[in-house]
Amino acid sequence: MEFNKFIEKFFDENDDSGFNEIVFARQAKFKQIKERLKGYYLTDKEIDKVFEIITQAEIDIENIKRKFNAKKYTEQDLNNFEKKILDRQKKMKEDFDKAVGKIIKEKYEKAKKIKAEMDKKNPYNNI
């Protein structure tokens, strides 16, 4: 199990609220996503770069949660709280999709150039 910045910042060995279990379940899910991304021939470095987006979003969301005063809140406060979290999750998804798409597009363009160059050099192409 890898420990990223999020776990380093919020992991509590004495946690009895179940927070740590959720963190470890999310880490397992991230591992599955990373394996799927390797199917697109992304390197570990590229995958780590993309997952920095998720890690930062998790930290932001956890900070939003910790700032929320659950003892004294109005319905409006609760709505604002939910909206902030949903907005951050939406931005995370958009940024993640954009970053993955950009990397895949760059790889595709590079492969196209390599193929075109190989086709030029192939003496059997003109038969």
Side-chain angles (χ1 to χ4, degrees):
M1 184 72 54
E2 71 181 39
F3 284 82
N4 61 23
K5 289 189 289 185
F6 178 75
I7 292 177
E8 290 172 6
K9 187 169 183 173
F10 296 109
F11 185 78
D12 179 13
E13 293 181 15
N14 301 322
D15 179 51
D16 59 352
S17 68
F19 178 77
N20 292 345
E21 291 176 28
I22 293 170
V23 169
F24 290 127
R26 289 183 64 81
Q27 289 301 103
K29 178 109 173 145
F30 290 162
K31 188 174 182 179
Q32 291 173 344
I33 294 170
K34 287 180 180 184
E35 290 302 315
R36 273 194 274 159
L37 288 174
K38 286 182 181 179
Y40 292 105
Y41 303 102
L42 271 66
T43 63
D44 288 336
K45 185 177 177 182
E46 291 168 332
I47 291 172
D48 289 342
K49 182 181 174 185
V50 170
F51 268 80
E52 286 176 10
I53 295 168
I54 292 176
T55 300
Q56 186 56 50
E58 285 181 322
I59 290 171
D60 294 347
I61 289 170
E62 190 58 30
N63 285 333
I64 291 169
K65 288 178 181 178
R66 290 176 187 254
K67 287 179 184 175
F68 181 70
N69 185 354
K71 294 179 182 176
K72 298 180 180 178
Y73 66 88
T74 64
E75 188 173 335
Q76 183 66 33
D77 293 338
L78 187 58
N79 289 337
N80 289 338
F81 171 71
E82 291 174 354
K83 184 180 181 323
K84 285 179 184 178
I85 290 177
L86 290 174
D87 287 346
R88 187 59 183 109
Q89 289 173 339
K90 183 179 176 184
K91 184 178 180 335
M92 174 191 64
K93 183 184 181 317
E94 290 169 354
D95 292 348
F96 183 84
D97 290 345
K98 187 187 298 184
V100 170
K102 180 180 176 186
I103 291 170
I104 291 173
K105 185 177 180 179
E106 287 172 357
K107 286 186 174 288
Y108 174 74
E109 293 299 324
K110 184 177 179 181
K112 245 173 59 173
K113 288 179 184 176
I114 291 170
K115 183 181 180 323
E117 193 64 34
M118 289 175 66
D119 287 346
K120 285 181 189 176
K121 294 179 181 179
N122 188 350
Y124 301 106
N125 245 3
N126 298 329
I127 299 178

